[in-house]
Amino acid sequence: MCGSAARALNSVSRAAFSWKPTGLPQQTLAVAVSRSGVGLHSGAKTTATLLPARAGEGRYFVVEGEETRVAAEVANAEAHSPLCTALRRGGARVRTVEHLLSAMEALGVDNCRVEVSGGDEIPLLDGSAQEWVMAIRGAGQCAAKDSSGQKLEKLAPEIHEPVYLQKSDCFIAALPSSRIRITYGIDFPKVPGIGCQRFATVLDANVYSSKIAPARTFCIFEEVEKLRSAGLIRGGSLENATVCSISGGWLNPPLRFEDEPCRHKILDLIGDFSLLAQNGNQGFPLAHVVAYKFTTGHPVPRLDLINQWLVMPCILISYGICWEGALWAKKTLLSNVESIWIPLLRR
C-alpha cells in the first residue's frame, strides 16, 4: 500500500464500517492439499500447497526460498502489478493470487498457510476457481484453534452507510444489506462476442461453487501478442483461458455460461475483497456490492483482472479514502443508486 493510503487509514472516520460477530468459529483445512500448473505470466510450472493454520493467523503465503510470510492482507498488496493481484512483504513476493483467495474467501477457509514452489505465481489451472473449490472440499474443513487450543469467533465487515468509488462512468458501490449480494455489469462495445453483460446474485458457498467458480478468465485475441511482447501472459493458452476475437467471436467454445466473462469478473472481485480480511476474519463485506464497467476502459489491455487503478477496492470502499490522487471514494446516502445505476446494468 502506498504511504498516503496507509496514513489515510489512520485518520479517516470508520462510521460506515465495523466488524460484526458471526456466531461461527474461524475455519481452516482439515488436511493439506496441493495443485500444480503453469503460472499465467511466467509460464513456469508451480505448485501451491494449502495447509491448515491456527485460528487468528489468517491466510498467508510462503514462497520457496523466502522465509518471510506474506499475509493476504491489503497492506501487502502491490499498487502497480500488471494484470494480476500481487502481494509483497520485504523481499518476498507472490502474484496471481486472486483465484485462490476468491475460493478460500467464498468457502470460508479463514486460516491457511499456502506454500508456493517452482516460482512466485499461483498456478492458473483451468483459468477459473473450480479446481480450488474441488481441492478445498476434498480436503475438508474444521474449526481452527489458536496456540492455546481455543477457537476464535469469526467476524465479518459490515457496511453501515452506502459508499462508492467512481471514475468516469465506471464505479463500484457498497450498500447496506442483511446478506452479501453482488450486482455486476461489464461492457465491451468493440467486442460483439462479449458485449454488455450483467449478473446479479446472493453470495454463499453453494452459489459461488456452482455459478461463479467455474467461470474462466478471458482475453481479446487481438491483444494477445501485445501482452506477450510486454512479458505478460506467457502461460496463457486455449486450455486455461477463453479467447474472443473482435471479428470472429469465441475461438474456443463452448462457454460454461452465456455471461461467463461477467461472472469471472465477480470471481476476481471476491478475491480482491478478501484482502480486507484480518486475523482469520471474513474479508468480503456484508453489503450489496454494485459495480459497472469496473474493469474496462484502462489504457493497458487487461486479461481478466481488476484494473491497476483499483488494486484495493475493499479498503477504498470501506474507509472512503483518496489514493494517489487517481481515485476517490465518498460517503453518501446514494439515494439514486437504485434509480440510476442499477438500471444501467439491465440495458
Side-chain angles (χ1 to χ4, degrees), residues 71 104 243:
M104 288 198 289
V243 184

Side-chain angles (χ1 to χ4, degrees), residues 168-185:
S168 185
D169 63 343
C170 308
F171 73 87
I172 183 167
L175 314 176
S177 173
S178 60
R179 303 179 67 182
I180 296 177
R181 302 181 62 88
I182 301 177
T183 301
Y184 204 113

